Amino acid sequence: MQAKLNSKDYIVGMYLRLSRDDERQGESLSIENQKAILSEYIEKQGWTLHDIYVDDGISGTTFDRPGVKRLLDDAQQGVINTILVKDMSRFGRNYIMVGQYLDYVFPLYNIRFIALSDNIDTENKDTAAMDMMPITNVFNEWWSAATSKKLRAVRLQNAKNGKNGMSHSPYGYILGTDEKRTLQINEETAPIVVRIFEMRASGLTPRKIADILNAEHILTPNDYRIATTGVTTVRNSTHLWCTSVLRTLLDNQAYIGNLVQHKSTTISYKNHKWIYRPKEDWIVTENAHEAIISKELWNKVKEVEKAVGHGKHTQRGFMHPLSGLMFCADCGAKMRLGWNMEKTKRTGEEKVYFNFNCGTKSRLGSSACFSHFITVSVLEQIVLNDVKDKATRIIADEAEFRLRYLEHTAALANKKDADVQKELRKGEKRLLELDKLIESAFEEKVAGKIPESVCVRLIEKYTAEQSELKERIAFLKQGLEEAEKATTDIDEFIRRMKKHLYAPKLTRELCLDLFEKLIIGGKETVTGKPQEVHIYYKVDIDSIS
């Protein structure tokens, strides 16, 4: 229930706010300056100050502020009956929300609102300042919009000029003190970054890498930052490495020397929800600073990430090198690792024998799919023999193999090129149309032809379609560039074949280096037909041999 106060007993809530943009205006808007001015006014009036409510470093375009929330709660509960601010813009820069409180909410709860510098006092309605209040509110929001636009333009230009706008450096680096704040290698943490990339390139999963780092009690990026800088505003940390942290680290181009900016933005100066921009809108400055890892290691990690299967560990922590890369030829399910125990005839010792079978049959039985059983030892020998055979043939005449590969790749690219170009033209035309539709929605909203909510809905719809189109266009353009990369690709594949020519056994690294997938045929027990194993390499060797 609202407390009943004598009309002459003014219980005041003093509200102070300063945003990062306001800090540029100097000392006149500081929290201490606001407090001094308002305290002097309260003392002169002989009123009672109940509490001071502060939001420091928060924009006035949002009312999702701790201080203002507490202020409004106390006002609605009857704890205070007067709100005092230095000027209207301190209370808020959203003219709709400010107008709603001043015209509806405060009168409902008998709250007196005073904006001292603007001469606005809701108890004295017949004043020029009160008549101008709606215009003042609109001007305050316009100022916020204009400031936001200017700041975005400055950040964009700085990013284009290669100036580092990061609030803090990526793990493995420290911020430089030069004008561009160029990243400098942190000799303490950079080796850990290299090790993480090397472990991932060898086929270890992020989960396994996290387990290794945690077992060695290596500080997480957040904990390291807290320990070395004393910053306490870092998001809550579990103090453990996890897959999400590692995936973010492994996807950071900073480690190959690239400065990537303009990746995210807020929806608008009013809506502060962060959204990611399409990759083609990112601003990338290559070779902006010293790299921690080589581009070869980076590319190898990206290749591992794109692999069709990431493998699966058994309960004992074992993962077969081919795990996740094999599929049933008949139902398409992944092959599943199994084992059986047998006693040796001579000594009677029990020995474990591993095998693979169709995952569907293993889970659902023979009614779902028939047996594709193959022992691990037989499969490994087939694969190793095939690698040795293919590698020997390729290395015997590298030049001829390279030439056939390039001709084959060019033929495929030419076949697809016409359709791709047609789709590209259509997509780029639609992007221009969407730009005009978004501009039109803004104009109609400003002209009062459509409500703000409809405008926002339309813009969100058009923006979502833009993002999808940009991703599709980027994908198509990447496809057109494949032929240009063909020479590099084939040279790298030949290098890998040489590397694994004399491999004594299968390793995870070998499998991820060479194979796209393996298709395992059914076991024909009735006809006695040999079981087929089709090995698909990352380069289509059979088509160009």
XYZ file of all heavy atoms in Angstrom, residues 188-258:
556
model
N 54.469 -15.731 -21.993
C 54.030 -16.703 -20.991
C 52.892 -17.584 -21.498
O 52.865 -18.796 -21.247
C 53.591 -15.969 -19.719
C 53.221 -16.905 -18.575
C 52.818 -16.144 -17.313
O 52.766 -14.898 -17.352
O 52.563 -16.808 -16.286
N 51.941 -17.000 -22.234
C 50.752 -17.753 -22.644
C 50.757 -18.169 -24.116
O 50.007 -19.064 -24.497
C 49.480 -16.925 -22.371
O 49.622 -15.633 -22.988
C 49.262 -16.762 -20.883
N 51.589 -17.526 -24.947
C 51.621 -17.882 -26.371
C 51.956 -19.365 -26.598
O 51.341 -20.011 -27.463
C 52.603 -16.989 -27.115
N 52.916 -19.957 -25.857
C 53.204 -21.387 -26.057
C 52.000 -22.285 -25.775
O 51.861 -23.342 -26.402
C 54.339 -21.657 -25.059
C 54.999 -20.334 -24.866
C 53.893 -19.339 -24.932
N 51.135 -21.867 -24.868
C 49.929 -22.650 -24.574
C 48.983 -22.607 -25.770
O 48.363 -23.612 -26.130
C 49.228 -22.116 -23.309
C 50.174 -22.216 -22.113
C 47.942 -22.891 -23.030
C 49.670 -21.510 -20.863
N 48.895 -21.431 -26.403
C 48.058 -21.295 -27.606
C 48.566 -22.235 -28.703
O 47.787 -22.954 -29.339
C 48.047 -19.840 -28.105
C 47.331 -19.735 -29.455
C 47.383 -18.925 -27.090
N 49.882 -22.229 -28.929
C 50.482 -23.101 -29.950
C 50.160 -24.558 -29.639
O 49.778 -25.333 -30.523
C 52.010 -22.896 -30.018
C 52.636 -23.908 -30.979
C 52.342 -21.477 -30.453
N 50.292 -24.924 -28.383
C 50.042 -26.311 -27.984
C 48.588 -26.704 -28.216
O 48.294 -27.820 -28.663
C 50.401 -26.470 -26.502
C 50.355 -27.914 -26.033
C 50.768 -28.004 -24.591
N 50.491 -29.330 -24.058
C 50.202 -29.584 -22.797
N 50.170 -28.583 -21.928
N 49.970 -30.804 -22.392
N 47.667 -25.796 -27.937
C 46.240 -26.074 -28.157
C 45.973 -26.341 -29.633
O 45.268 -27.295 -30.002
C 45.373 -24.906 -27.642
C 45.409 -24.862 -26.109
C 43.931 -25.033 -28.140
C 44.789 -23.609 -25.521
N 46.522 -25.503 -30.507
C 46.331 -25.690 -31.942
C 46.966 -27.007 -32.408
O 46.382 -27.709 -33.242
C 46.911 -24.511 -32.716
C 45.958 -23.359 -32.898
C 45.859 -22.359 -31.931
C 45.139 -23.283 -34.008
C 44.973 -21.309 -32.076
C 44.245 -22.234 -34.170
C 44.163 -21.239 -33.196
N 48.134 -27.326 -31.899
C 48.802 -28.579 -32.301
C 48.004 -29.799 -31.847
O 47.893 -30.780 -32.583
C 50.213 -28.614 -31.728
C 51.169 -27.643 -32.426
C 52.551 -27.626 -31.805
O 52.680 -28.104 -30.646
O 53.495 -27.129 -32.454
N 47.445 -29.746 -30.645
C 46.636 -30.871 -30.155
C 45.387 -31.041 -31.011
O 44.995 -32.155 -31.336
C 46.262 -30.659 -28.684
C 47.406 -30.879 -27.716
S 46.883 -30.976 -25.962
C 46.537 -29.254 -25.614
N 44.760 -29.914 -31.379
C 43.547 -30.009 -32.208
C 43.890 -30.524 -33.596
O 43.150 -31.336 -34.166
C 42.884 -28.633 -32.318
C 41.530 -28.678 -33.032
C 40.521 -29.433 -32.222
N 39.224 -29.508 -32.864
C 38.634 -30.641 -33.230
N 39.236 -31.804 -33.037
N 37.445 -30.619 -33.786
N 45.025 -30.080 -34.149
C 45.440 -30.533 -35.481
C 45.731 -32.024 -35.498
O 45.553 -32.694 -36.520
C 46.668 -29.750 -35.946
N 46.155 -32.559 -34.365
C 46.455 -33.997 -34.294
C 45.200 -34.843 -34.158
O 45.277 -36.078 -34.192
C 47.391 -34.278 -33.111
O 46.702 -34.113 -31.882
N 44.040 -34.183 -33.999
C 42.786 -34.920 -33.938
C 42.139 -34.960 -32.572
O 41.024 -35.476 -32.425
N 42.795 -34.403 -31.548
C 42.192 -34.385 -30.219
C 40.971 -33.469 -30.217
O 40.992 -32.383 -30.801
C 43.192 -33.898 -29.174
C 44.365 -34.827 -28.840
C 45.217 -34.218 -27.731
C 43.872 -36.204 -28.420
N 39.918 -33.891 -29.552
C 38.703 -33.080 -29.473
C 38.879 -31.957 -28.464
O 39.715 -32.048 -27.550
C 37.509 -33.944 -29.036
O 37.759 -34.430 -27.704
C 37.299 -35.117 -29.972
N 38.094 -30.874 -28.586
C 38.158 -29.806 -27.579
C 37.928 -30.320 -26.162
O 38.533 -29.828 -25.213
C 37.046 -28.845 -28.029
C 36.989 -29.021 -29.512
C 37.226 -30.496 -29.725
N 37.054 -31.314 -26.023
C 36.801 -31.881 -24.696
C 38.060 -32.515 -24.122
O 38.397 -32.336 -22.943
C 35.687 -32.928 -24.789
C 35.336 -33.674 -23.512
C 34.669 -32.793 -22.495
N 35.644 -32.165 -21.605
C 35.432 -31.071 -20.909
N 34.287 -30.437 -21.033
N 36.339 -30.580 -20.123
N 38.789 -33.271 -24.963
C 40.002 -33.929 -24.514
C 41.088 -32.896 -24.202
O 41.822 -33.020 -23.209
C 40.502 -34.905 -25.588
C 41.729 -35.721 -25.184
C 41.430 -36.651 -24.021
C 42.630 -37.511 -23.685
N 42.377 -38.355 -22.479
N 41.192 -31.861 -25.035
C 42.173 -30.796 -24.801
C 41.877 -30.097 -23.480
O 42.780 -29.809 -22.688
C 42.166 -29.778 -25.962
C 42.596 -30.463 -27.270
C 43.095 -28.606 -25.664
C 42.423 -29.588 -28.491
N 40.588 -29.830 -23.231
C 40.196 -29.185 -21.971
C 40.593 -30.050 -20.778
O 41.095 -29.537 -19.764
C 38.691 -28.926 -21.966
N 40.393 -31.353 -20.885
C 40.756 -32.269 -19.793
C 42.262 -32.199 -19.506
O 42.684 -32.199 -18.343
C 40.365 -33.703 -20.146
C 38.856 -33.913 -20.139
O 38.154 -33.081 -19.530
O 38.386 -34.887 -20.747
N 43.062 -32.145 -20.576
C 44.521 -32.085 -20.414
C 44.928 -30.783 -19.721
O 45.725 -30.780 -18.773
C 45.218 -32.210 -21.788
C 45.004 -33.626 -22.356
C 46.709 -31.903 -21.669
C 45.469 -33.779 -23.793
N 44.389 -29.660 -20.178
C 44.741 -28.358 -19.601
C 44.300 -28.253 -18.145
O 45.012 -27.702 -17.300
C 44.125 -27.231 -20.426
C 44.597 -27.126 -21.886
C 43.814 -26.038 -22.613
C 46.086 -26.835 -21.961
N 43.099 -28.784 -17.859
C 42.601 -28.747 -16.479
C 43.437 -29.629 -15.562
O 43.698 -29.269 -14.411
C 41.132 -29.174 -16.437
C 40.210 -28.132 -17.042
O 40.483 -26.933 -16.973
N 39.120 -28.572 -17.650
N 43.848 -30.803 -16.081
C 44.676 -31.712 -15.279
C 46.018 -31.078 -14.933
O 46.598 -31.365 -13.875
C 44.880 -33.026 -16.030
N 46.513 -30.209 -15.814
C 47.795 -29.540 -15.573
C 47.627 -28.211 -14.840
O 48.597 -27.478 -14.644
C 48.507 -29.314 -16.909
C 48.878 -30.619 -17.615
C 49.515 -30.387 -18.978
O 49.796 -29.216 -19.316
O 49.735 -31.373 -19.710
N 46.378 -27.886 -14.459
C 46.068 -26.683 -13.677
C 46.528 -25.403 -14.379
O 47.031 -24.464 -13.748
C 46.701 -26.767 -12.286
C 46.304 -27.992 -11.523
N 45.013 -28.208 -11.081
C 47.025 -29.094 -11.169
C 44.955 -29.375 -10.461
N 46.158 -29.942 -10.507
N 46.353 -25.362 -15.696
C 46.673 -24.155 -16.464
C 45.508 -23.177 -16.347
O 44.348 -23.554 -16.559
C 46.947 -24.500 -17.935
C 48.215 -25.366 -18.032
C 47.092 -23.246 -18.780
C 48.493 -25.891 -19.410
N 45.803 -21.938 -16.002
C 44.746 -20.937 -15.819
C 43.969 -20.713 -17.112
O 44.548 -20.653 -18.200
C 45.343 -19.608 -15.367
C 45.907 -19.529 -13.935
C 46.481 -18.144 -13.686
C 44.841 -19.844 -12.907
N 42.658 -20.582 -16.992
C 41.821 -20.258 -18.144
C 42.104 -18.813 -18.572
O 42.653 -18.025 -17.786
C 40.329 -20.390 -17.803
O 39.997 -19.405 -16.801
C 40.001 -21.778 -17.269
N 41.718 -18.415 -19.794
C 41.923 -17.022 -20.213
C 41.345 -15.999 -19.240
O 41.987 -14.989 -18.930
C 41.229 -16.964 -21.574
C 41.376 -18.359 -22.117
C 41.237 -19.254 -20.916
N 40.125 -16.242 -18.731
C 39.517 -15.310 -17.786
C 40.300 -15.235 -16.482
O 40.564 -14.151 -15.952
C 38.070 -15.721 -17.488
C 37.090 -15.137 -18.498
O 37.466 -14.321 -19.321
N 35.853 -15.569 -18.433
N 40.669 -16.408 -15.938
C 41.408 -16.426 -14.678
C 42.790 -15.789 -14.836
O 43.278 -15.113 -13.922
C 41.539 -17.863 -14.169
C 40.232 -18.392 -13.588
O 39.346 -17.565 -13.326
O 40.096 -19.612 -13.407
N 43.419 -16.019 -15.983
C 44.727 -15.415 -16.225
C 44.602 -13.888 -16.285
O 45.443 -13.164 -15.733
C 45.324 -15.942 -17.530
C 46.693 -15.380 -17.823
C 47.831 -15.910 -17.216
C 46.859 -14.291 -18.687
C 49.095 -15.374 -17.460
C 48.113 -13.749 -18.937
C 49.223 -14.304 -18.328
O 50.465 -13.771 -18.562
N 43.551 -13.412 -16.930
C 43.342 -11.964 -17.034
C 43.106 -11.353 -15.656
O 43.647 -10.292 -15.332
C 42.141 -11.694 -17.948
C 41.900 -10.217 -18.221
C 40.731 -10.035 -19.153
N 40.294 -8.643 -19.190
C 39.049 -8.255 -19.388
N 38.104 -9.167 -19.571
N 38.735 -6.986 -19.417
N 42.318 -12.023 -14.829
C 42.063 -11.519 -13.478
C 43.351 -11.505 -12.664
O 43.659 -10.543 -11.961
C 40.997 -12.393 -12.779
C 39.633 -12.206 -13.461
C 40.900 -12.043 -11.296
C 38.578 -13.191 -12.999
N 44.136 -12.589 -12.795
C 45.365 -12.723 -12.007
C 46.423 -11.696 -12.397
O 47.191 -11.235 -11.554
C 45.920 -14.135 -12.152
N 46.469 -11.330 -13.666
C 47.547 -10.444 -14.144
C 47.151 -8.975 -14.213
O 48.029 -8.106 -14.217
C 48.035 -10.886 -15.535
O 46.913 -10.960 -16.433
C 48.711 -12.251 -15.445
N 45.849 -8.689 -14.306
C 45.425 -7.290 -14.436
C 44.636 -6.782 -13.240
O 44.482 -5.573 -13.070
C 44.555 -7.090 -15.698
O 43.325 -7.824 -15.545
C 45.289 -7.576 -16.934
N 44.104 -7.702 -12.452
C 43.293 -7.295 -11.312
C 41.890 -6.874 -11.685
O 41.117 -6.408 -10.845
N 41.527 -7.046 -12.963
C 40.179 -6.693 -13.425
C 39.161 -7.592 -12.739
O 39.341 -8.810 -12.660
C 40.073 -6.862 -14.956
C 38.643 -6.649 -15.415
C 40.989 -5.864 -15.648
N 38.098 -7.002 -12.221
C 37.083 -7.790 -11.516
C 35.767 -7.861 -12.269
O 34.815 -8.477 -11.803
C 36.822 -7.187 -10.124
O 36.409 -5.812 -10.285
C 38.067 -7.247 -9.269
N 35.709 -7.193 -13.439
C 34.450 -7.165 -14.196
C 34.350 -8.310 -15.196
O 33.428 -8.351 -15.997
C 34.325 -5.836 -14.963
O 35.495 -5.652 -15.782
C 34.202 -4.678 -13.998
N 35.302 -9.254 -15.161
C 35.254 -10.402 -16.057
C 34.049 -11.263 -15.698
O 33.723 -11.436 -14.525
C 36.550 -11.235 -15.936
C 36.477 -12.474 -16.809
C 37.750 -10.381 -16.329
N 33.388 -11.788 -16.712
C 32.219 -12.632 -16.475
C 32.565 -13.805 -15.567
O 33.693 -14.276 -15.547
C 31.648 -13.161 -17.796
C 30.956 -12.104 -18.629
C 30.387 -12.708 -19.891
N 31.440 -13.232 -20.738
C 31.204 -13.866 -21.886
N 29.975 -14.078 -22.282
N 32.213 -14.296 -22.615
N 31.564 -14.301 -14.839
C 31.797 -15.404 -13.913
C 32.499 -16.560 -14.604
O 32.128 -16.966 -15.701
C 30.464 -15.889 -13.328
C 29.850 -14.871 -12.396
O 30.567 -14.047 -11.843
N 28.540 -14.913 -12.225
N 33.503 -17.077 -13.955
C 34.289 -18.166 -14.535
C 34.145 -19.413 -13.692
O 34.066 -19.346 -12.466
C 35.759 -17.755 -14.632
O 36.554 -18.855 -15.026
N 34.117 -20.563 -14.355
C 34.080 -21.837 -13.628
C 35.486 -22.259 -13.232
O 35.672 -23.268 -12.570
C 33.475 -22.946 -14.512
O 34.285 -23.092 -15.693
C 32.054 -22.609 -14.904
N 36.478 -21.471 -13.662
C 37.895 -21.749 -13.387
C 38.364 -23.022 -14.068
O 39.370 -23.601 -13.672
C 38.156 -21.819 -11.879
C 37.615 -20.626 -11.131
N 38.098 -19.354 -11.334
C 36.604 -20.524 -10.221
C 37.425 -18.505 -10.562
N 36.525 -19.187 -9.893
N 37.635 -23.450 -15.080
C 38.009 -24.658 -15.823
C 37.932 -24.380 -17.324
O 37.055 -23.653 -17.792
C 37.069 -25.825 -15.476
C 37.158 -26.406 -14.069
C 36.035 -27.405 -13.856
C 38.514 -27.062 -13.823
N 38.860 -24.975 -18.054
C 38.774 -24.925 -19.509
C 37.552 -25.722 -19.947
O 37.252 -26.781 -19.391
C 40.022 -25.530 -20.137
C 41.246 -24.682 -19.978
C 42.102 -24.682 -18.925
C 41.747 -23.716 -20.909
N 43.112 -23.759 -19.125
C 42.922 -23.160 -20.353
C 41.330 -23.273 -22.155
C 43.675 -22.187 -20.985
C 42.081 -22.293 -22.794
C 43.237 -21.760 -22.218
N 36.845 -25.227 -20.956
C 35.674 -25.932 -21.475
C 35.683 -25.845 -23.003
O 36.450 -25.080 -23.592
C 34.377 -25.352 -20.909
S 34.133 -23.601 -21.292
N 34.821 -26.616 -23.636
C 34.823 -26.696 -25.106
C 34.478 -25.357 -25.748
O 35.045 -25.000 -26.784
C 33.835 -27.765 -25.588
O 32.534 -27.486 -25.046
C 34.268 -29.156 -25.128
N 33.561 -24.580 -25.142
C 33.171 -23.302 -25.757
C 34.345 -22.316 -25.778
O 34.552 -21.605 -26.762
C 31.978 -22.691 -25.006
O 32.312 -22.438 -23.652
N 35.129 -22.280 -24.698
C 36.299 -21.398 -24.647
C 37.317 -21.811 -25.697
O 37.882 -20.978 -26.418
C 36.936 -21.431 -23.240
C 38.282 -20.705 -23.237
C 35.997 -20.787 -22.223
N 37.529 -23.117 -25.822
C 38.516 -23.609 -26.785
C 38.070 -23.386 -28.221
O 38.874 -23.038 -29.080
C 38.790 -25.093 -26.527
C 39.652 -25.363 -25.290
C 39.612 -26.834 -24.911
C 41.091 -24.919 -25.523
N 36.797 -23.588 -28.506
C 36.309 -23.367 -29.878
C 36.441 -21.896 -30.269
O 36.770 -21.574 -31.413
C 34.857 -23.837 -30.003
C 34.690 -25.344 -29.908
C 33.291 -25.783 -30.285
N 33.086 -27.189 -30.019
C 33.555 -28.183 -30.772
N 34.258 -27.910 -31.856
N 33.326 -29.442 -30.452
N 36.170 -20.990 -29.330
C 36.345 -19.558 -29.601
C 37.816 -19.244 -29.868
O 38.147 -18.505 -30.802
C 35.842 -18.726 -28.404
O 34.450 -19.008 -28.194
C 36.023 -17.240 -28.659
N 38.698 -19.807 -29.061
C 40.135 -19.581 -29.235
C 40.610 -20.113 -30.579
O 41.351 -19.445 -31.306
C 40.889 -20.247 -28.080
C 42.400 -20.020 -27.995
C 42.855 -20.060 -26.527
C 43.186 -21.053 -28.786
N 40.173 -21.327 -30.932
C 40.613 -21.960 -32.175
C 40.063 -21.272 -33.422
O 40.541 -21.524 -34.528
C 40.199 -23.436 -32.174
C 40.963 -24.339 -31.194
C 40.222 -25.654 -30.990
C 42.380 -24.602 -31.699
N 39.073 -20.403 -33.240
C 38.469 -19.710 -34.382
C 38.914 -18.247 -34.460
O 38.381 -17.482 -35.248
C 36.943 -19.782 -34.272
C 36.252 -19.497 -35.601
O 36.755 -19.953 -36.649
O 35.214 -18.806 -35.598
N 39.894 -17.873 -33.646
C 40.335 -16.476 -33.574
C 41.491 -16.233 -34.535
O 42.601 -16.747 -34.355
C 40.758 -16.138 -32.144
C 40.914 -14.635 -31.946
O 41.085 -13.879 -32.900
N 40.856 -14.200 -30.706
N 41.234 -15.430 -35.574
C 42.251 -15.160 -36.594
C 43.422 -14.331 -36.065
O 44.435 -14.182 -36.758
C 41.630 -14.435 -37.786
C 40.661 -15.247 -38.605
C 40.203 -14.503 -39.845
O 40.996 -13.906 -40.568
N 38.899 -14.512 -40.091
N 43.294 -13.794 -34.861
C 44.397 -13.021 -34.288
C 45.667 -13.851 -34.222
O 46.775 -13.321 -34.364
C 44.026 -12.535 -32.884
N 45.518 -15.169 -34.066
C 46.689 -16.026 -33.879
C 47.486 -16.235 -35.168
O 48.596 -16.742 -35.127
C 46.262 -17.364 -33.271
C 45.620 -17.171 -31.915
C 44.305 -17.582 -31.670
C 46.307 -16.543 -30.890
C 43.717 -17.389 -30.432
C 45.718 -16.333 -29.656
C 44.424 -16.748 -29.430
O 43.837 -16.535 -28.200
N 46.933 -15.849 -36.325
C 47.718 -15.886 -37.564
C 48.071 -14.460 -38.009
O 48.419 -14.235 -39.162
C 46.983 -16.644 -38.695
C 45.579 -16.091 -38.925
C 46.969 -18.136 -38.425
C 44.876 -16.678 -40.133
N 47.930 -13.515 -37.085
C 48.352 -12.143 -37.360
C 47.283 -11.228 -37.903
O 47.568 -10.077 -38.243
N 46.028 -11.700 -37.988
C 44.958 -10.874 -38.542
C 44.190 -10.160 -37.436
O 43.836 -10.768 -36.425
C 43.978 -11.725 -39.355
C 44.613 -12.291 -40.605
O 45.710 -11.876 -40.993
N 43.953 -13.231 -41.246
